[in-house]
Amino acid sequence: MNAHVNESRSDRRLDLVEVMARFRDEPIETLREAAVTSADGIKSLKAPIRAFAHSGVNLATISQHTLQSLIELESEVITSALTAAAMRLERAAQAEGVVDLVFDQVEMLGATRDRIVDHATRAVEIFKVTRRDLRGVARHAYEIAVKTTNEQVPEVKRAKRKVKRAVRKTTARARKAAA
């Protein structure tokens, strides 16, 4: 492990020495190439940034839909629990004795169990759909990111610099300027 780290350091050191030597010999050209490389890198970020922004919108939509479904389910759970509690109290009030009260309550346990299982099944289904949607968004974002990094970045066309040439003053213009 240490040998690998030392080898990597020495490689980086040699690369740095080469870059510094080139910068010393051709500073303007080295800076131009660095600027072009930076411009290419910045341009190549457009597609992934758009893809991740779109993924963020999709995530917000998915989370909003999931929360809406869970709130609706919670409302139904509370409503059905209150309805069942009211029914239990009504049956308890109508019971002739303790034995009737116990039998009525035991009779309602099956319905309560079925209701709880139904609500739990619906909650699991909501999370399954959410997981599937999240996986789709993540897969799409990953494909976009990998696709853009695997593509060749288009090379920036360099504008040719016009070199200004020194213009000699004619003797007549030189005399006017001196006068």
Side-chain angles (χ1 to χ4, degrees), residues 11-24:
D11 288 345
R12 278 192 264 150
R13 191 174 295 129
L14 290 175
D15 290 343
L16 184 60
V17 168
E18 289 175 17
V19 168
M20 294 306 291
R22 185 157 184 263
F23 186 70
R24 184 180 57 239

Side-chain angles (χ1 to χ4, degrees), residues 70-119:
L70 288 173
I71 290 170
E72 290 170 357
L73 177 62
E74 182 183 27
S75 173
E76 289 178 28
V77 167
I78 291 171
T79 302
S80 65
L82 291 174
T83 304
M87 188 184 305
R88 284 180 183 276
L89 288 174
E90 287 174 352
R91 289 183 91 173
Q94 295 171 357
E96 296 284 324
V98 176
V99 174
D100 284 342
L101 174 68
V102 171
F103 279 130
D104 285 344
Q105 298 301 315
V106 168
E107 187 180 302
M108 294 178 70
L109 283 178
T112 302
R113 182 188 64 237
D114 292 342
R115 180 176 45 86
I116 290 171
V117 168
D118 178 54
H119 291 315

Side-chain angles (χ1 to χ4, degrees), residues 14-62:
L14 290 175
D15 290 343
L16 184 60
V17 168
E18 289 175 17
V19 168
M20 294 306 291
R22 185 157 184 263
F23 186 70
R24 184 180 57 239
D25 296 339
E26 303 171 342
I28 302 295
E29 187 61 31
T30 304
L31 288 175
R32 282 187 184 140
E33 288 177 9
V36 168
T37 304
S38 297
D40 289 344
I42 290 171
K43 285 183 180 181
S44 70
L45 293 175
K46 287 180 186 176
I49 288 174
R50 285 188 183 130
F52 286 122
H54 185 68
S55 296
V57 170
N58 287 343
L59 287 174
T61 302
I62 290 168

